Amino acid sequence: DVKVTQSSRYLVKRTGEKVFLECVQDMDHENMFWYRQDPGLGLRLIYFSYDVKMKEKGDIPEGYSVSREKKERFSLILESASTNQTSMYLCASSRQGNSYNEQFFGPGTRLTVL
Amino acid sequence: AQTVTQSQPEMSVQEAETVTLSCTYDTSESNYYLFWYKQPPSRQMILVIRQEAYKQQNATENRFSVNFQKAAKSFSLKISDSQLGDTAMYFCAFMGTGAGSYQLTFGKGTKLSVIP
C-alpha cells in the first residue's frame, strides 16, 4: 500500500520561528511536492523536487525553502514564520515518466502561526 | 499558464441521487491529463478518476464517470447513486505533457454534501 506521511498533523508556532515540515514517501518516487491549501483558493504549489538535491519553484515560493537530501524525504522550511503562513500544508509524491503521473498525497499538516 | 475553474463552490445531493460537478480549463496544449481528486473531511486526498486528452472515450470508475468535452475544454464529474461517504471536497486538476510537466494545476474545489 502506497504511503506518504507527514511529521505532524497539527503544529502551532510563534511569529519569527523557524519551522520544519517533514514528508516521507515509501514508493521510491522521483517527484515530491509541497502544496498549500486555503479555503476558496484550492491547492497552490510551493516547491517541487524531481530528484535528490534538485528543486523547482512553484507558484508561491516566497517565504519558503525546501530540502531534499534523500530520495524518500522532502522538507519544507519556513525561515521566519509569519501569520499569513497559517494554512494547511500538503505533501505529495509521484513517479516520473510519460504515464499518468498520479500524485499521492499525505494527510496534511495544519500550521497555525500566532 | 493553465487555469482550472470550478464554478460551484458548494453543492448538495440526496443519498442515492446523481450529481454532476463542473470543471473547465484553459490550455494551449493538445495533449494533457485531467484528474478529479476527492478530499474527505479530515482525511487524505485521493484520486477518483483520470482522463487522457487524446482518448475520446470518457473514463469511468464504478459510480464515477466523466464527461470530457475537449473542444469546449470541459471536464465534469458525475457521481451516480450518491453515498454518504461521497461527502468531500472535490478538486479538478490539469497536468500538461511538455518537458518537466510534473505539476498539477488545481481548481478551487467544490464542497459536496450528501444528505441522508
Side-chain angles (χ1 to χ4, degrees), chain A residues 4 9 31 33 35 37 40 42-43 45 48 50 90 98-103 105-107, chain B residues 33 35 37 39 42 44-45 47 50-52 55 91 95 100-104 106-108:
Chain A
V4 180
R9 290 300 302 270
N31 301 327
F33 307 83
Y35 293 93
Q37 182 180 8
L43 279 75
L45 182 65
F48 73 97
Y50 54 88
L90 296 178
N98 296 321
S99 64
Y100 287 117
N101 293 336
E102 176 184 349
Q103 289 189 19
F105 285 82
Chain B
Y33 301 117
F35 305 83
Y37 277 87
Q39 186 181 40
S42 301
Q44 228 142 322
M45 182 148 359
L47 179 67
R50 56 195 174 197
Q51 175 85 38
E52 292 182 69
K55 288 187 177 179
F91 293 96
M95 181 187 291
S101 291
Y102 313 126
Q103 300 182 63
L104 282 170
F106 286 88
K108 294 182 178 180

Side-chain angles (χ1 to χ4, degrees), chain A residues 102, chain B residues 35-40 45-50 59-66 77-79 86 88-91:
Chain A
E102 176 184 349
Chain B
F35 305 83
W36 279 98
Y37 277 87
K38 169 185 177 181
Q39 186 181 40
M45 182 148 359
I46 57 172
L47 179 67
V48 175
I49 198 166
R50 56 195 174 197
T60 299
E61 290 285 345
N62 301 312
R63 298 182 295 107
F64 298 87
S65 62
V66 298
L77 174 69
K78 186 171 84 171
I79 306 173
D86 295 333
M89 283 291 293
Y90 287 83
F91 293 96

